Amino acid sequence: MAQTKVYSLFTDFDINLFKAGKHYRLYEKFGSHIVTVDGIEGTYFAVWAPSAKRVSVIGDFNFWTEGEHELNVRWDSSGIWEGFIPFVGKGNIYKYKIESHNNGIKTEKADPYARRCEHPPKTASVVWEDKYKWKDNDWMKTRKKHNALNAPYSVYEVHLGSWKRNLEEDRSLSYFELADDLVNYVKDMNFTHVELMPVMEFPYDPSWGYQITGYFAPTSRYGYPEEFKYLVDKLHQNGIGIILDWVPSHFPEDAHGLGFFDGSNLYEHPDKRKGYHQDWKSLIFNYGRNEVKSFLISNAIFWLDQYHADGLRVDAVASMLFLDYSREDGEWEPNIYGGRENLEAIEFMKELNKEIYASYPDVQTIAEESTAFPGVSKPVFTGGLGFGMKWMMGWMHDTLEYFGKDPVYRKYHQNDITFSLAYAFSENFMLPLSHDEVVYGKNSILGRMPGDEWQRFANLRLLYGYMFTHPGTKLLFMGGEFGQYNEWDFQASLNWNLLEFEPHKNLQNYYKALNKLYTTTPALFEKAFSGEGFEWINYGDHENSVISYIRKGDNPNENVIVVCNLTPTIHENYKIGLPEVSGKIKEIFNSDSKDFGGSGVTNSKAITIKKKPWNGKPHSAAITLPPLAITVFSYNHG
């Protein structure tokens, strides 16, 4: 068999950018690329292994024989090994056999830049390219308005392996099948975006995808890379955006992965206090190493470029920000200023967001960040980290705790449900009810609700209504929309059979209607991140456990009034203060509607606004409050 030929895709400029940590398209150079050299088709391989003494490509084309196809090290001290192997092509399976200068240690590694990986538990990389022809041009040209900060954002969080399974064959659905079933469902439910838990290749199913080994390859569990593109394409053709979970915070120690790659701490920080994550038994990237920074930012760009993603939800940002995250005294070392902030990780995140928004201004990055670190979603030029949005973990915690209480005790906890508005506009917040809230003994969202069956469903409708009328964007984990009863199990399908029962079917219809209300009511999204978009009517009626507020958009005539009755007591002639002078208010949404399984207590007629001061406002109206329900009113000027 022909041996390795000297060949390179790298220019001197590429090398300089890579060493400086400023090359953000490394996937165009590293990895395996099918090329023709001197009239012969084959594959060019390139891998970064600066501590290597020898690097061989081993695979099904050379019987996995070390030394048969050795790569050549570049002369520019970049640590890059490369070469062209004739007659190797699409579908060939390979790894890198690396002999280290470090005590002759030998490692056998998957390609960090592979576009496709073998189906786990197999661990090799696959030479791959696809000629996928995208059909989402209309979406890509207009998606800026769908992904903008003043657009409605109702996100359906999905774990592809367990959303719905083929029960006859006891398997997950493929990307192709999901392109029909999932896309049709999300569209029918009026969600604006889907967020996928990590689709990058990972070896261990119970990690749910958060322990990644193939950063540039969609998992082969559900099909080929071009089939995943087909799923994205179908979402876009149906007007649905796609957000991908992305994990730059840590990676697993699996032998074929990035850890101890060339017999040295190449990708991970060499100091265990910065390089090892005790909670997840995984390794932490060395954010201060330029080449690693280029690898990570290139990976983020890759999914936006090659897979048309509309955004990245960045996992575990808090663990990156703080050197003492989940560590005891003595297990971490302060930064050069004596603080606990990880300055290198902070700089990395700023660079990441600057590059993403410079290249793709019509996408969003969303931080899963649970601390009070300031400016997470503020622009880098003002000193922020530069994310588009941040998960509002405090709102999630307070809200679930409040709604878990029996309504009779809620009057003592009014502050729990109103406190989020004290800081609601300090960041661009997304309100998440995510997968993390329905595992590890926390119960399902429905399972946390108190009372009998009617009250549990009424409580859940009220919680969702409060979520959708609260400032910020929205995210719900799959199953929550129809009242999944069990905790989430990544190995099993959602309990779709529950939809045979009226309360669950009614709840699903309710969430669909709620999405419709949200996406068609500008006052609920146009000023989602501004104090101008919200005004309290009354947050102090703790005795009745009622809160009321106004949501405002660009057009004052389209403002809406929201009243939440957080107990089962019906209130007739309940007065709310209003700033408007004349006209009427009209009920446009009521979670107690019989269509949703409610008791049917509604405000069927328009209600006249009277010039009688109330709640510190010059006018008022008397309304009926249904039990455990949210009612939304619009102005009927005339």
Side-chain angles (χ1 to χ4, degrees):
M1 180 180 275
Q3 300 303 301
T4 312
K5 288 191 169 189
V6 174
Y7 183 78
S8 184
L9 289 179
F10 286 93
T11 64
D12 290 345
F13 186 54
D14 286 325
I15 299 299
N16 290 335
L17 286 176
F18 177 52
K19 287 180 175 178
K22 298 293 184 186
H23 201 309
Y24 303 140
R25 305 290 188 283
L26 288 176
Y27 54 89
E28 295 174 352
K29 310 290 178 172
F30 277 114
S32 55
H33 297 269
I34 298 169
V35 293
T36 300
V37 177
D38 298 333
I40 297 172
E41 190 172 277
T43 299
Y44 164 76
F45 294 88
V47 63
W48 180 51
S51 291
K53 182 162 47 173
R54 192 175 290 111
V55 179
S56 298
V57 184
I58 57 173
D60 58 356
F61 48 87
N62 62 16
F63 305 102
W64 303 91
T65 307
E66 181 184 356
E68 186 79 13
H69 290 104
E70 288 192 7
L71 297 180
N72 309 297
V73 67
R74 287 184 65 91
W75 62 92
D76 50 21
S77 72
S78 61
I80 296 170
W81 297 73
E82 61 184 354
F84 170 78
I85 305 178
F87 311 116
V88 171
K90 183 174 177 177
N92 277 128
I93 301 165
Y94 70 101
K95 280 185 177 178
Y96 296 117
K97 187 84 172 188
I98 303 169
E99 184 180 344
S100 178
H101 276 297
N102 183 8
N103 298 322
I105 291 169
K106 287 191 177 182
T107 58
E108 208 170 275
K109 295 293 185 179
D111 188 342
Y113 291 87
R115 303 292 181 93
R116 188 183 152 206
C117 303
E118 282 190 300
H119 193 301
K122 294 180 178 177
T123 57
S125 302
V126 184
V127 177
W128 204 254
E129 66 174 15
D130 66 74
K131 306 286 192 212
Y132 186 80
K133 296 280 190 292
W134 289 90
K135 299 184 180 68
D136 63 350
N137 194 40
D138 287 349
W139 170 269
M140 296 299 282
K141 279 195 299 193
T142 60
R143 70 175 179 173
K144 189 176 182 70
K145 70 178 183 191
H146 298 290
N147 295 331
L149 291 175
N150 61 352
Y153 240 78
S154 178
V155 182
Y156 189 50
E157 187 192 21
V158 175
H159 177 263
L160 289 179
S162 59
W163 176 71
K164 187 187 283 185
R165 292 177 65 87
N166 182 315
L167 298 179
E168 293 78 36
E169 299 174 26
D170 189 28
R171 63 168 177 82
S172 302
L173 300 187
S174 68
Y175 293 129
F176 264 150
E177 290 167 324
L178 288 160
D180 285 333
D181 288 20
L182 178 64
V183 173
N184 290 338
Y185 181 74
V186 169
K187 187 176 185 181
D188 181 58
M189 288 296 294
N190 299 318
F191 286 99
T192 64
H193 293 73
V194 167
E195 180 185 312
L196 300 183
M197 290 167 69
V199 295
M200 302 81 190
E201 194 61 83
F202 60 100
Y204 186 52
D205 284 342
S207 79
W208 311 334
Y210 290 97
Q211 300 271 13
I212 296 170
T213 49
Y215 270 79
F216 291 83
T219 178
S220 52
R221 287 167 174 81
Y222 318 122
Y224 294 139
E226 54 268 42
E227 292 170 340
F228 179 57
K229 289 180 180 177
Y230 179 76
L231 170 57
V232 175
D233 210 348
K234 275 292 194 187
L235 285 164
H236 283 171
Q237 289 171 43
N238 284 276
I240 301 158
I242 179 166
I243 301 160
L244 300 179
D245 271 17
W246 186 60
V247 191
S249 45
H250 62 116
F251 59 93
E253 292 186 283
D254 294 60
H256 67 288
L258 296 177
F260 211 55
F261 189 81
D262 59 354
S264 73
N265 302 120
L266 190 61
Y267 288 91
E268 68 271 26
H269 200 287
D271 183 344
K272 279 228 165 190
R273 292 172 297 181
K274 289 184 181 178
Y276 186 72
H277 205 299
Q278 295 150 313
D279 289 3
W280 302 317
K281 304 291 184 281
S282 56
L283 302 170
I284 301 170
F285 285 105
N286 184 353
Y287 305 108
R289 189 162 192 168
N290 284 341
E291 296 90 343
V292 172
K293 213 157 43 173
S294 276
F295 168 81
L296 286 170
I297 297 176
S298 291
N299 184 243
I301 294 294
F302 171 81
W303 294 100
L304 302 171
D305 173 24
Q306 298 287 299
Y307 285 88
H308 291 198
D310 297 289
L312 299 173
R313 175 268 193 187
V314 183
D315 184 60
V317 170
S319 75
M320 299 164 67
L321 285 175
F322 296 105
L323 296 164
D324 63 346
Y325 182 88
S326 200
R327 293 179 191 273
E328 302 294 329
D329 288 348
E331 293 178 348
W332 63 283
E333 186 180 44
N335 63 35
I336 54 171
Y337 303 111
R340 52 195 280 261
E341 296 80 13
N342 187 334
L343 302 177
E344 293 169 340
I346 289 168
E347 198 51 44
F348 156 70
M349 281 185 265
K350 289 180 177 181
E351 283 188 41
L352 167 77
N353 283 312
K354 278 197 296 187
E355 177 57 27
I356 286 175
Y357 283 109
S359 298
Y360 297 94
D362 49 356
V363 306
Q364 294 294 345
T365 58
I366 304 163
E368 188 227 358
E369 205 285 306
S370 53
T371 75
F373 189 91
V376 171
S377 60
K378 301 301 181 201
V380 174
F381 65 80
T382 66
L385 291 182
F387 288 94
M389 295 179 224
K390 167 181 166 166
W391 276 19
M392 197 176 194
M393 309 296 272
W395 171 88
M396 174 275 299
H397 180 268
D398 290 348
T399 300
L400 290 178
E401 194 165 286
Y402 179 90
F403 275 93
K405 288 180 166 61
D406 188 298
V408 75
Y409 301 117
R410 287 179 181 171
K411 63 182 178 182
Y412 305 113
H413 300 277
Q414 184 90 345
N415 187 54
D416 293 352
I417 202 70
T418 60
F419 178 63
S420 58
L421 271 305
Y423 62 95
F425 307 109
S426 60
E427 299 274 6
N428 296 341
F429 280 120
M430 174 176 277
L431 280 50
L433 293 173
S434 74
H435 66 274
D436 279 326
E437 308 320 315
V438 292
V439 287
Y440 299 145
K442 293 178 184 173
N443 212 331
S444 65
I445 304 291
L446 178 63
R448 296 181 189 210
M449 299 296 109
D452 59 20
E453 182 181 77
W454 189 92
Q455 284 203 8
R456 284 203 301 273
F457 279 94
N459 262 305
L460 192 52
R461 292 194 302 273
L462 177 52
L463 189 166
Y464 289 155
Y466 164 66
M467 171 183 176
F468 270 84
T469 56
H470 187 290
T473 53
K474 329 295 171 189
L475 176 137
L476 182 73
F477 183 58
M478 61 184 199
E481 76 280 10
F482 62 79
Q484 169 84 1
Y485 222 87
N486 300 326
E487 278 196 345
W488 172 52
D489 178 358
F490 72 92
Q491 295 173 298
S493 174
L494 295 179
N495 301 134
W496 293 101
N497 58 308
L498 291 175
L499 290 171
E500 297 167 18
F501 303 98
E502 210 169 312
H504 296 274
K505 186 64 184 170
N506 286 336
L507 179 64
Q508 185 190 46
N509 288 335
Y510 173 72
Y511 208 93
K512 180 177 177 178
L514 202 49
N515 268 332
K516 185 76 170 173
L517 172 77
Y518 171 60
T519 56
T520 57
T521 308
L524 294 177
F525 58 79
E526 284 179 341
K527 295 182 177 180
F529 307 123
S530 164
E532 294 175 2
F534 180 89
E535 181 184 339
W536 278 116
I537 294 174
N538 187 2
Y539 58 82
D541 187 5
H542 56 86
E543 199 56 45
N544 291 310
S545 296
V546 174
I547 57 173
S548 49
Y549 44 91
I550 302 169
R551 288 301 311 277
K552 304 173 179 181
D554 295 333
N555 182 349
N557 291 329
E558 295 180 349
N559 291 350
V560 294
I561 298 141
V562 182
V563 187
C564 298
N565 179 13
L566 297 151
T567 74
T569 305
I570 298 171
H571 297 279
E572 293 182 352
N573 294 310
Y574 185 89
K575 281 174 76 173
I576 55 170
L578 293 171
E580 260 65 13
V581 179
S582 63
K584 298 182 177 185
I585 59 172
K586 181 178 68 172
E587 182 181 286
I588 58 170
F589 192 82
N590 185 330
S591 68
D592 194 48
S593 163
K594 286 189 172 176
D595 291 345
F596 307 140
S599 61
V601 175
T602 63
N603 294 270
S604 55
K605 294 178 181 173
I607 297 155
T608 302
I609 299 171
K610 295 184 176 173
K611 199 170 182 179
K612 290 184 178 176
W614 197 253
N615 298 138
K617 301 195 186 312
H619 302 86
S620 59
I623 60 176
T624 298
L625 298 189
L628 284 174
I630 180 169
T631 41
V632 183
F633 299 86
S634 66
Y635 287 105
N636 193 355
H637 297 278

